Amino acid sequence: MCECKRGPRRGRKMAATRESNTRPGKPAGKESQPLVIAKTAAEEQRLKLERLMRNPDKPVTIPERPKEWNPRAPPEFVRDVMGSSAGAGSGEFHVYRHLRRREYQRQECMDTMSEKQKMDKEYQEKLQKNNQATAEKTAKRRKKRQKLKEKKLMAQKAKLEEGKDGDGDSGSNSASSSDKVPRKEGDDDAEEPSFVMGGR
């Protein structure tokens, strides 16, 4: 009798070892990849890209952005109204506890939403103020550039008129007109940046 019992058990063990050698999830011909531990972030990203490019036909699942948590809407009709009777059961405390927890979550959600809206509003106001300040600076500099251009044109016109009037006097007059308006190299095309870092 002992031999009969031992025989089938041994057979079961051998079958279990055969099954463990061949996993049903992996095909038999596929080789296991060596374990590589990434030491830097760049190396980790390279390993991920290599794993993706091993099978380019496989679709990549891009996870969706998680939805914001919103409290459950209040019920339209409350069926289990809590009474103020002295003989309230022991289960009423747990009902009250859950209601209180939900109310605290709702208030916390409302506070975070109002804080977020306040921060968004402040950010938009700051952006608008910065845009207005940069627009004023650029307008001021544009006006200054236009004045300089007009002065140069006037000086050139005066120089040309003096050159036409008298040849002998034009040398001294042109020198005096050039002293009035100092000329810088690249003044026509050079433009100062409209936004200066550092808040000057």
Side-chain angles (χ1 to χ4, degrees):
M1 229 177 171
C2 293
E3 291 177 11
C4 295
K5 287 183 179 177
R6 287 181 186 170
R9 284 184 185 164
R10 285 182 185 166
R12 283 186 207 152
K13 285 182 181 178
M14 290 178 75
T17 54
R18 284 179 201 151
E19 287 175 7
S20 64
N21 289 342
T22 58
R23 291 181 186 171
K26 289 188 177 181
K30 191 174 180 181
E31 296 177 10
S32 62
Q33 297 291 331
L35 179 68
V36 180
I37 299 170
K39 295 177 182 174
T40 62
E43 198 172 327
E44 186 180 349
Q45 193 171 12
R46 182 180 57 81
L47 288 170
K48 284 180 182 177
L49 282 171
E50 283 177 2
R51 193 182 315 134
L52 278 172
M53 295 310 290
R54 274 185 212 139
N55 190 4
D57 298 333
K58 183 179 177 183
V60 179
T61 56
I62 299 169
E64 292 182 7
R65 189 175 180 182
K67 294 177 182 176
E68 285 188 17
W69 183 86
N70 284 326
R72 192 166 67 179
E76 291 179 12
F77 183 78
V78 181
R79 283 170 171 55
D80 52 348
V81 179
M82 293 179 67
S84 60
S85 62
S90 60
E92 298 297 317
F93 171 70
H94 301 291
V95 174
Y96 164 72
R97 197 165 51 97
H98 290 308
L99 288 172
R100 185 183 62 180
R101 181 176 54 82
R102 261 190 235 118
E103 180 63 20
Y104 284 161
Q105 282 181 342
R106 188 181 71 82
Q107 287 177 359
E108 189 179 346
C109 182
M110 287 169 58
D111 290 343
T112 53
M113 283 177 67
S114 65
E115 188 69 26
K116 187 178 177 185
Q117 287 175 353
K118 184 182 174 186
M119 288 175 71
D120 285 344
K121 189 178 179 183
E122 287 175 1
Y123 176 71
Q124 292 298 330
E125 286 175 0
K126 189 177 179 182
L127 273 180
Q128 192 175 1
K129 197 181 284 185
N130 285 348
N131 288 338
Q132 191 176 357
T134 52
E136 286 174 3
K137 282 184 182 179
T138 51
K140 190 176 178 182
R141 289 178 178 155
R142 188 184 304 119
K143 196 173 181 183
K144 192 175 180 181
R145 284 194 306 271
Q146 290 292 334
K147 282 183 182 178
L148 283 171
K149 281 184 182 179
E150 287 173 7
K151 280 185 182 180
K152 284 181 187 177
L153 286 172
M154 293 295 283
Q156 285 177 355
K157 283 181 183 178
K159 188 177 178 182
L160 287 172
E161 287 175 5
E162 288 173 6
K164 287 179 184 177
D165 290 343
D167 294 333
D169 297 334
S170 64
S172 61
N173 290 339
S174 63
S176 63
S177 64
S178 64
D179 290 340
K180 289 177 186 174
V181 181
R183 187 175 179 118
K184 296 178 184 175
E185 289 185 16
D187 202 17
D188 307 74
D189 301 325
E191 197 173 298
E192 291 184 40
S194 62
F195 183 72
V196 180
M197 297 296 286
R200 279 193 258 157

